[in-house]
């Protein structure tokens, strides 16, 4: 999973949304996306990667506990903000893997972009 997460970072640095799409194990509609949605998300993620890390090395965080769909998560962290004057927030890409009995852990089975808007509007579905 960490190797695939690193591939995602490499694609953000030098690849295209089509390269990113090749790392998705499921049909796009299963994760509520189409090619246009992937292109939009890819541009947004790449913008965050450049803005916060200048295409440097992000931190990875492995979430041991599975989510409600039995997927494991690797977080690619672009920015962590801790401030007394504003709302704390992360900017990161959460990559979901598995469940292993259904999907290879060499590909992602979902993803979510986490940014400041998730803190400001936590119940809003985007």
């Amino acid at each position: 999973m960490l190797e695939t997460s690193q591939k995602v970072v490499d694609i953000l640095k030098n690849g295209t949304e089509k390269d990113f799409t090749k790392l998705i194990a499921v049909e796009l509609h299963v994760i509520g996306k189409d090619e246009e949605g992937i292109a939009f998300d890819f541009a947004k993620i790449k913008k965050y990667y450049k803005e916060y890390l200048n295409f440097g090395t992000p931190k990875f965080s492995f979430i041991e506990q599975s989510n409600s769909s039995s997927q494991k998560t690797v977080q690619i962290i672009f920015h962590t903000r801790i401030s007394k004057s504003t709302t704390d927030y992360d900017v990161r890409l959460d990559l979901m893997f598995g469940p292993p009995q259904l999907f290879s852990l060499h590909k992602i089975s979902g993803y979510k972009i986490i940014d400041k808007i998730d803190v400001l509007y936590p119940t809003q579905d985007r």
Side-chain angles (χ1 to χ4, degrees):
M1 292 186 306
L2 288 174
E3 183 179 315
T4 301
S5 299
Q6 183 59 54
K7 284 181 186 177
V8 169
V9 170
D10 293 342
I11 289 169
L12 290 172
K13 188 183 278 189
N14 299 311
T16 67
E17 69 269 4
K18 296 213 183 296
D19 298 322
F20 178 69
T21 303
K22 290 177 186 175
L23 288 180
I24 299 174
V26 298
E27 303 242 352
L28 296 181
H29 68 86
V30 172
I31 58 172
K33 301 290 179 183
D34 58 17
E35 288 182 20
E36 186 176 307
I38 294 288
F40 176 82
D41 287 350
F42 185 80
K44 185 176 185 178
I45 299 163
K46 190 168 188 155
K47 175 183 157 267
Y48 287 152
Y49 183 35
K50 181 179 182 188
E51 179 179 339
Y52 292 111
L53 293 175
N54 197 29
F55 296 115
T57 305
K59 292 181 183 177
F60 295 93
S61 179
F62 179 73
I63 306 303
E64 195 63 41
Q65 177 127 5
S66 298
N67 66 14
S68 61
S69 299
S70 297
Q71 296 168 303
K72 297 283 188 179
T73 302
V74 174
Q75 297 175 335
I76 302 174
I77 302 167
F78 301 120
H79 174 73
T80 300
R81 170 118 187 202
I82 301 171
S83 172
K84 294 178 183 171
S85 62
T86 62
T87 304
D88 296 347
Y89 67 95
D90 289 348
V91 177
R92 67 179 196 262
L93 175 62
D94 288 359
L95 302 176
M96 279 62 94
F97 294 86
Q101 64 272 26
L102 297 177
F103 305 108
S104 165
L105 298 180
H106 296 290
K107 291 199 171 201
I108 61 176
S109 56
Y111 69 91
K112 183 173 183 186
I113 302 168
I114 306 294
D115 58 18
K116 188 173 185 175
I117 200 160
D118 291 305
V119 172
L120 298 175
Y121 307 103
T123 58
Q124 181 178 345
D125 229 356
R126 297 183 295 131

